[in-house]
Amino acid sequence: MSDFNINFQNIEDSDGLNKEDFYVKFKERLDDVTSFPADYTYKFIYPTSEEIMSKVKEIFKNANPNFEYKASKNRKYTSITVVIYALDSDQVISFYQEVSQIPGVMML
């Protein structure tokens, strides 16, 4: 099984899509390139904050996640990489939708 991540910016015409249409297209793309179940890698950047980090970790707590963190040079931002064993594209999208509700988090 491969560790694969689709960058949101790589989804064609994503600028003109509403959220619902975006996730429909994203699901199609995921299903085209990934055989689930599989490891899936999420990458997020956020203004350095224990509160934000805790919220992200809470979302993934039941998915047996592996976390890696890296602070920016000036420690203003932190990147977090989350790897889970995803059962299907719906699970992948569900986590993205939950994290998208946290103010300040940018998804890569």
Short mmCIF file of all heavy atoms in Angstrom, two decimals, residues 51-73:
data_model
loop_
_atom_site.label_atom_id
_atom_site.label_comp_id
_atom_site.label_asym_id
_atom_site.label_seq_id
_atom_site.Cartn_x
_atom_site.Cartn_y
_atom_site.Cartn_z
N GLU A 51 -3.27 25.48 21.42
CA GLU A 51 -4.71 25.26 21.28
C GLU A 51 -5.06 24.67 19.91
O GLU A 51 -5.81 23.70 19.82
CB GLU A 51 -5.48 26.57 21.48
CG GLU A 51 -6.97 26.43 21.37
CD GLU A 51 -7.71 27.74 21.52
OE1 GLU A 51 -7.08 28.77 21.85
OE2 GLU A 51 -8.92 27.73 21.29
N ILE A 52 -4.49 25.23 18.86
CA ILE A 52 -4.76 24.71 17.52
C ILE A 52 -4.21 23.30 17.38
O ILE A 52 -4.88 22.41 16.87
CB ILE A 52 -4.20 25.65 16.43
CG1 ILE A 52 -4.96 26.97 16.42
CG2 ILE A 52 -4.28 24.98 15.05
CD1 ILE A 52 -4.40 28.02 15.48
N MET A 53 -2.98 23.09 17.87
CA MET A 53 -2.39 21.76 17.79
C MET A 53 -3.28 20.74 18.51
O MET A 53 -3.53 19.65 17.99
CB MET A 53 -0.99 21.75 18.41
CG MET A 53 -0.34 20.37 18.35
SD MET A 53 1.32 20.30 19.04
CE MET A 53 1.03 20.77 20.73
N SER A 54 -3.79 21.08 19.67
CA SER A 54 -4.65 20.17 20.43
C SER A 54 -5.94 19.86 19.67
O SER A 54 -6.42 18.72 19.68
CB SER A 54 -4.99 20.77 21.79
OG SER A 54 -3.85 20.85 22.58
N LYS A 55 -6.51 20.87 19.00
CA LYS A 55 -7.74 20.65 18.23
C LYS A 55 -7.50 19.69 17.07
O LYS A 55 -8.32 18.81 16.81
CB LYS A 55 -8.29 21.98 17.72
CG LYS A 55 -8.91 22.83 18.80
CD LYS A 55 -9.41 24.15 18.24
CE LYS A 55 -10.01 25.02 19.32
NZ LYS A 55 -10.51 26.29 18.79
N VAL A 56 -6.39 19.86 16.37
CA VAL A 56 -6.07 18.97 15.25
C VAL A 56 -5.87 17.55 15.78
O VAL A 56 -6.42 16.58 15.24
CB VAL A 56 -4.82 19.45 14.47
CG1 VAL A 56 -4.38 18.41 13.45
CG2 VAL A 56 -5.11 20.78 13.78
N LYS A 57 -5.10 17.41 16.85
CA LYS A 57 -4.84 16.08 17.41
C LYS A 57 -6.13 15.42 17.88
O LYS A 57 -6.31 14.21 17.71
CB LYS A 57 -3.84 16.19 18.55
CG LYS A 57 -2.43 16.49 18.08
CD LYS A 57 -1.47 16.71 19.22
CE LYS A 57 -1.14 15.41 19.89
NZ LYS A 57 -0.08 15.54 20.90
N GLU A 58 -7.03 16.18 18.44
CA GLU A 58 -8.30 15.64 18.92
C GLU A 58 -9.12 15.04 17.77
O GLU A 58 -9.76 14.00 17.93
CB GLU A 58 -9.09 16.74 19.62
CG GLU A 58 -10.43 16.31 20.15
CD GLU A 58 -10.37 15.34 21.33
OE1 GLU A 58 -9.32 15.24 22.00
OE2 GLU A 58 -11.39 14.67 21.58
N ILE A 59 -9.11 15.69 16.64
CA ILE A 59 -9.87 15.21 15.48
C ILE A 59 -9.41 13.82 15.05
O ILE A 59 -10.21 12.96 14.70
CB ILE A 59 -9.78 16.21 14.31
CG1 ILE A 59 -10.63 17.45 14.65
CG2 ILE A 59 -10.19 15.59 12.98
CD1 ILE A 59 -10.44 18.62 13.71
N PHE A 60 -8.11 13.58 15.12
CA PHE A 60 -7.55 12.32 14.63
C PHE A 60 -7.36 11.26 15.73
O PHE A 60 -6.89 10.16 15.44
CB PHE A 60 -6.19 12.58 13.96
CG PHE A 60 -6.31 13.31 12.65
CD1 PHE A 60 -6.16 14.68 12.59
CD2 PHE A 60 -6.56 12.61 11.47
CE1 PHE A 60 -6.25 15.35 11.38
CE2 PHE A 60 -6.66 13.26 10.26
CZ PHE A 60 -6.50 14.65 10.21
N LYS A 61 -7.73 11.56 16.94
CA LYS A 61 -7.38 10.70 18.08
C LYS A 61 -7.82 9.24 17.94
O LYS A 61 -7.15 8.34 18.43
CB LYS A 61 -7.90 11.28 19.39
CG LYS A 61 -9.40 11.16 19.57
CD LYS A 61 -9.85 11.71 20.89
CE LYS A 61 -11.36 11.55 21.00
NZ LYS A 61 -11.87 12.12 22.22
N ASN A 62 -8.92 8.98 17.29
CA ASN A 62 -9.41 7.60 17.16
C ASN A 62 -8.96 6.90 15.88
O ASN A 62 -9.41 5.80 15.58
CB ASN A 62 -10.94 7.58 17.23
CG ASN A 62 -11.44 8.00 18.60
OD1 ASN A 62 -10.84 7.67 19.62
ND2 ASN A 62 -12.53 8.74 18.62
N ALA A 63 -8.05 7.53 15.14
CA ALA A 63 -7.59 6.97 13.87
C ALA A 63 -6.18 6.40 13.96
O ALA A 63 -5.56 6.13 12.93
CB ALA A 63 -7.65 8.04 12.78
N ASN A 64 -5.67 6.21 15.18
CA ASN A 64 -4.32 5.69 15.39
C ASN A 64 -3.29 6.49 14.58
O ASN A 64 -2.55 5.93 13.77
CB ASN A 64 -4.26 4.20 15.03
CG ASN A 64 -3.01 3.55 15.55
OD1 ASN A 64 -2.41 3.99 16.51
ND2 ASN A 64 -2.60 2.47 14.88
N PRO A 65 -3.25 7.81 14.78
CA PRO A 65 -2.41 8.67 13.95
C PRO A 65 -0.94 8.67 14.37
O PRO A 65 -0.60 8.39 15.53
CB PRO A 65 -3.00 10.06 14.20
CG PRO A 65 -3.47 9.96 15.62
CD PRO A 65 -4.00 8.56 15.77
N ASN A 66 -0.09 9.00 13.42
CA ASN A 66 1.31 9.35 13.68
C ASN A 66 1.45 10.82 13.35
O ASN A 66 1.03 11.25 12.26
CB ASN A 66 2.26 8.52 12.81
CG ASN A 66 2.28 7.08 13.22
OD1 ASN A 66 2.37 6.77 14.39
ND2 ASN A 66 2.18 6.19 12.25
N PHE A 67 2.00 11.60 14.27
CA PHE A 67 2.16 13.03 14.09
C PHE A 67 3.63 13.40 13.98
O PHE A 67 4.47 12.85 14.68
CB PHE A 67 1.58 13.80 15.29
CG PHE A 67 0.11 13.64 15.49
CD1 PHE A 67 -0.38 12.83 16.50
CD2 PHE A 67 -0.80 14.31 14.68
CE1 PHE A 67 -1.74 12.69 16.71
CE2 PHE A 67 -2.16 14.17 14.87
CZ PHE A 67 -2.63 13.35 15.89
N GLU A 68 3.92 14.37 13.12
CA GLU A 68 5.24 15.00 13.05
C GLU A 68 5.01 16.50 13.01
O GLU A 68 4.09 16.97 12.33
CB GLU A 68 6.01 14.57 11.80
CG GLU A 68 6.48 13.14 11.83
CD GLU A 68 7.31 12.80 10.61
OE1 GLU A 68 7.92 13.70 10.00
OE2 GLU A 68 7.33 11.61 10.26
N TYR A 69 5.84 17.24 13.73
CA TYR A 69 5.70 18.69 13.80
C TYR A 69 7.00 19.34 13.38
O TYR A 69 8.08 18.80 13.60
CB TYR A 69 5.41 19.14 15.24
CG TYR A 69 4.30 18.38 15.90
CD1 TYR A 69 4.56 17.25 16.66
CD2 TYR A 69 2.99 18.79 15.75
CE1 TYR A 69 3.55 16.54 17.25
CE2 TYR A 69 1.96 18.08 16.36
CZ TYR A 69 2.25 16.96 17.11
OH TYR A 69 1.24 16.26 17.69
N LYS A 70 6.86 20.53 12.80
CA LYS A 70 8.05 21.30 12.46
C LYS A 70 7.70 22.78 12.57
O LYS A 70 6.75 23.25 11.93
CB LYS A 70 8.53 20.98 11.06
CG LYS A 70 9.83 21.69 10.71
CD LYS A 70 10.35 21.27 9.37
CE LYS A 70 11.66 22.01 9.11
NZ LYS A 70 12.17 21.73 7.77
N ALA A 71 8.47 23.49 13.36
CA ALA A 71 8.27 24.93 13.51
C ALA A 71 8.99 25.67 12.39
O ALA A 71 10.04 25.22 11.92
CB ALA A 71 8.79 25.41 14.86
N SER A 72 8.42 26.79 11.97
CA SER A 72 9.10 27.62 10.98
C SER A 72 10.34 28.24 11.61
O SER A 72 10.51 28.21 12.84
CB SER A 72 8.16 28.71 10.45
OG SER A 72 7.80 29.59 11.49
N LYS A 73 11.18 28.81 10.78
CA LYS A 73 12.45 29.37 11.26
C LYS A 73 12.24 30.36 12.41
O LYS A 73 12.95 30.32 13.40
CB LYS A 73 13.17 30.05 10.09
CG LYS A 73 14.53 30.57 10.43
CD LYS A 73 15.20 31.14 9.21
CE LYS A 73 16.55 31.70 9.56
NZ LYS A 73 17.21 32.26 8.38
#
